[in-house]
Amino acid sequence: AAVFAYGVASVSPGPKQLQSADGLSALLALTRETFGDTTGYELRVSSDDIATLYRPDPQSDRLKKSYSYTPGRWNGAPEGAWRASDSTKRSLFDQLADLSKFDVTAVTARLAGAAQALGITEATGAMLDIKNYGNGGLSLSINVNGPEVGSMDLNPDGTVKALHPPS
């Protein structure tokens, strides 16, 4: 949102710490404000405060468009830091869902402890991936990177569905 001071517009930097409950909630609120809803095919949120949202291409129902969010950089769209990339063809697995229909607090708590739960002692980053599971439900996964790589699958309430520690 633009703030006017002495006739000059300055733009707020947007949400940060996207893998925290407050940061992810703010990102979802900004998504709703920018696009009118939180539907999409997939939302990826990385530990370096970058997110990618995949939504239907408004020009063709056979295509999807990705939008990148980087705090502090207000590129492209007038309402926020969303910048559209080129469209790509949708797959049969790309099904729309409300990407905000999960317990943000519980999921971000799991995210904070994911490396330890997976037995990864030298984690260098993590990615939260939210997408349609089918019938409008969500599939959530956390991928932890480092010298070793592991992941966990979550239910929308934040409970662990499956652990995939490094082999």
Side-chain angles (χ1 to χ4, degrees), residues 3-134:
V3 177
F4 292 92
Y6 304 106
V8 178
S10 65
V11 180
S12 65
K16 294 185 179 178
Q17 299 178 350
L18 301 180
Q19 291 191 347
S20 70
D22 288 345
L24 187 52
S25 293
L27 180 67
L28 291 168
L30 180 62
T31 304
R32 191 173 290 107
E33 177 185 319
T34 303
F35 295 101
D37 58 42
T38 52
T39 61
Y41 302 118
E42 184 174 8
L43 175 63
R44 294 180 185 162
V45 182
S46 71
S47 53
D48 56 1
D49 281 346
I50 295 173
T52 305
L53 173 67
Y54 297 87
R55 289 180 55 91
D57 184 318
Q59 306 301 317
S60 172
D61 61 355
R62 295 190 335 223
L63 300 175
K64 66 181 176 181
K65 219 176 243 261
S66 66
Y67 298 85
S68 297
Y69 173 80
T70 307
R73 293 188 186 156
W74 296 89
N75 305 318
E79 292 298 321
W82 294 94
R83 180 175 43 85
S85 72
D86 294 333
S87 296
T88 56
K89 188 176 179 183
R90 271 188 25 192
S91 78
L92 293 174
F93 300 105
D94 290 324
Q95 300 295 318
L96 281 176
D98 184 342
L99 299 172
S100 69
K101 294 295 183 190
F102 64 96
D103 185 331
V104 171
T105 302
V107 168
T108 54
R110 288 278 180 216
L111 186 55
Q116 183 177 2
L118 292 164
I120 299 174
T121 56
E122 297 179 40
T124 58
M127 174 78 70
L128 172 63
D129 192 27
I130 306 158
K131 56 187 164 188
N132 184 310
Y133 180 66

